[in-house]
Amino acid sequence: MKPAIIVENISKQYRLGHTQSHTLAGLVSGAGRWAKRTLGELAQGKLPQLKTKSTSPTIWALKDVSLTIHPGEIVGIVGRNGNGKSTLLKVLSRITLPTSGKVKIRGQAASLLEVGTGFHPELTGRENVFLNGAIMGMGHRQIKDKLDEIVAFSEVGRFLDTPVKRYSSGMYVRLAFAVAAHLEPDILMVDEVLAVGDGAFQKKCLGKIQSVGGSNRTVLFVSHSLPTVRSICTRVILLDEGRVKMDGPTDEVLAAYNRMLQAPRTIANEGISWRLLHATGAVRVTSLTARDEAGAETWNFKQGQDVRIRLQYETFESVPSLGVFMILTSLQSGEVVTSVKSGLRNQALSIGDTGSVELTLPQVPLRAGEYALTIGLGDESGERRYDFLDNHQNLPWLCITSDDKELTQMGGYFSIPALFSHT
């Protein structure tokens, strides 16, 4: 079977502080400005001046990326923020052109990369469904046959004839995903946009993605939700600084990704836009480490060992008090395993104040597995939230191992001492 996508040594360079436009409209607009400027100079008796090469600094969002993806594959793309995941999908979707390299795509591709992508705000939901279908090369009758399914899946039936500019972000995503998935593209590309929807809708979308992959169509899936990646993807591509760091089976690549995330780094501003959506940013976590009983930095523990998680923080706005909470989530199922919360200080903190918090889980009773962290700072009562970190900040996850393989196979999250008596 011929590959659905072939990527040959593509690179993408951006110039900092300079807006590039590689869309058709942008290129036409740029050509018009150049022609107007040149004609004006000629009318004044001047020779047109060649524009000198810009000396603005540049970055490579992608560098020499090569991939081959076959029909029926559901491929996850992971990596830290700013390492080229979304840029890769934009290049594959032809939203932007690569600086160098080639992309070959067989079949019709649909993409859902950000809220509102491909929708005209002045048109109604119904009109946008037909517009998107026409862009994908479908006839009016084909789209009409799918309309009822799209409306039922998106749950926006009451608002179908309302201009989409009045939709909430959740409604946008529901309708956009329903259109992209139900118009039966050969290739479906989905970025982190599904995080906007509620939990029930996300679960429905993931089921649809699995059915798309199972019908010999191809799915590319970018997400910070590693439980989701693990549950639906059999292959994962890890990007680091715009290059393919690893490409292989899901479990192997995610294990390598976690080792990468364990390297000490400053996280004061990492994923800051996501954090500010969920918190005020008044006090922020600047670093996060884990240590074993001997004080060595590690995220790998044996069942029954003490786990010490240490975070450092900095105050950016004055606050009346400080508290912390932490949630552990199974990386396998996405279920919350446990949570802890504590007030730390009932006195005010001023701008520039720093400090650290150490949380110890004594003789951790967790069974063997991988556990993702969600960490938050707030006031002592928990009513105000200052900072919120989860998988969007690429936090490492706890890896718990056990010598008792039989208990591991029995399942569950905790190993609780139990006494048995027999009569």
Side-chain angles (χ1 to χ4, degrees):
M1 186 177 293
K2 293 183 178 180
I5 300 173
I6 300 176
V7 176
E8 299 178 349
N9 301 109
I10 64 166
S11 297
K12 179 62 181 178
Q13 185 185 52
Y14 288 107
R15 194 172 301 281
L16 298 178
H18 175 72
T19 303
Q20 286 183 313
S21 183
H22 284 167
T23 62
L24 177 60
L27 293 173
V28 171
S29 177
R33 289 194 298 270
W34 175 84
K36 183 177 180 180
R37 183 178 67 249
T38 302
L39 291 173
E41 290 171 350
L42 289 172
Q44 297 173 27
K46 300 177 182 178
L47 290 175
Q49 299 295 310
L50 292 176
K51 189 176 181 180
T52 58
K53 190 174 181 179
S54 173
T55 58
S56 302
T58 61
I59 60 168
W60 289 95
L62 296 172
K63 191 67 176 176
D64 297 324
V65 173
S66 295
L67 301 167
T68 299
I69 301 172
H70 292 88
E73 286 193 289
I74 302 180
V75 180
I77 303 175
V78 300
R80 290 175 294 183
N81 294 315
N83 278 262
K85 303 185 300 297
S86 296
T87 300
L88 176 58
L89 287 198
K90 287 179 180 178
V91 170
L92 297 180
S93 302
R94 298 188 177 94
I95 292 174
T96 186
L97 298 176
T99 304
S100 61
K102 297 180 181 179
V103 176
K104 299 177 183 177
I105 294 181
R106 290 187 173 93
Q108 187 62 249
S111 60
L112 186 59
L113 307 186
E114 56 187 55
V115 176
T117 298
F119 277 9
H120 192 294
E122 299 296 334
L123 299 181
T124 67
R126 186 189 305 273
E127 291 167 337
N128 272 294
V129 170
F130 281 91
L131 174 63
N132 275 257
I135 291 172
M136 291 174 61
M138 297 184 69
H140 184 86
R141 170 56 60 183
Q142 289 176 283
I143 304 170
K144 189 174 181 180
D145 290 343
K146 291 287 184 179
L147 184 61
D148 289 343
E149 289 181 53
I150 291 171
V151 174
F153 189 94
S154 65
E155 302 172 6
V156 298
R158 290 175 55 200
F159 308 98
L160 189 62
D161 294 307
T162 300
V164 298
K165 66 181 180 181
R166 299 195 176 98
Y167 283 16
S168 67
S169 58
M171 292 166 64
Y172 250 117
V173 169
R174 291 202 298 273
L175 184 58
F177 181 86
V179 170
H182 285 81
L183 293 184
E184 299 183 350
D186 300 298
I187 301 166
L188 177 62
M189 307 181 204
V190 183
D191 205 339
E192 190 66 29
V193 67
L194 289 185
V196 175
D198 58 44
F201 184 74
Q202 288 180 36
K203 186 174 292 187
K204 188 162 67 168
C205 289
L206 297 178
K208 186 64 179 177
I209 288 174
Q210 288 178 304
S211 70
V212 169
S215 60
N216 214 32
R217 289 179 282 164
T218 305
V219 179
L220 294 183
F221 185 68
V222 169
S223 179
H224 286 96
S225 175
L226 300 180
T228 300
V229 171
R230 173 165 279 164
S231 69
I232 70 171
C233 302
T234 57
R235 173 185 171 190
V236 172
I237 296 165
L238 171 59
L239 292 182
D240 183 42
E241 296 183 352
R243 298 177 183 269
V244 176
K245 182 82 171 179
M246 190 173 180
D247 180 355
T250 299
D251 287 341
E252 293 179 18
V253 176
L254 291 186
Y257 183 34
N258 194 30
R259 290 193 293 271
M260 179 192 298
L261 297 180
Q262 291 175 9
R265 68 187 195 275
T266 300
I267 58 174
N269 296 310
E270 189 164 326
I272 192 64
S273 59
W274 176 264
R275 290 158 77 174
L276 292 178
L277 281 175
H278 296 80
T280 66
V283 185
R284 292 182 212 157
V285 177
T286 56
S287 70
L288 184 70
T289 56
R291 298 177 184 272
D292 61 17
E293 296 164 330
E297 285 194 19
T298 182
W299 289 89
N300 301 291
F301 298 87
K302 278 196 171 183
Q303 186 184 58
Q305 285 186 323
D306 289 354
V307 176
R308 298 189 177 111
I309 298 173
R310 184 180 181 86
L311 65 87
Q312 294 181 307
Y313 65 83
E314 182 177 352
T315 306
F316 291 86
E317 299 175 19
S318 297
V319 295
S321 60
L322 186 64
V324 64
F325 69 87
M326 184 186 75
I327 300 170
L328 280 179
T329 306
S330 167
L331 205 65
Q332 187 70 38
S333 67
E335 295 175 327
V336 173
V337 175
T338 188
S339 59
V340 293
K341 173 184 171 184
S342 177
L344 301 174
R345 177 170 170 168
N346 59 9
Q347 296 175 333
L349 282 77
S350 302
I351 297 175
D353 285 351
T354 59
S356 62
V357 180
E358 184 167 286
L359 169 66
T360 300
L361 302 175
Q363 299 179 347
V364 63
L366 292 171
R367 285 195 174 161
E370 296 171 312
Y371 300 90
L373 292 172
T374 298
I375 292 176
L377 295 175
D379 63 0
E380 193 179 29
S381 68
E383 294 180 0
R384 302 180 191 175
R385 187 184 289 175
Y386 305 146
D387 200 5
F388 181 84
L389 297 95
D390 62 1
N391 45 48
H392 287 80
Q393 284 69 53
N394 309 302
L395 299 183
W397 54 89
L398 289 176
C399 297
I400 307 295
T401 59
S402 173
D403 293 330
D404 193 333
K405 302 301 181 185
E406 186 177 347
L407 279 178
T408 301
Q409 293 171 356
M410 289 176 66
Y413 296 129
F414 292 98
S415 179
I416 301 174
L419 299 175
F420 292 90
S421 62
H422 178 258
T423 58

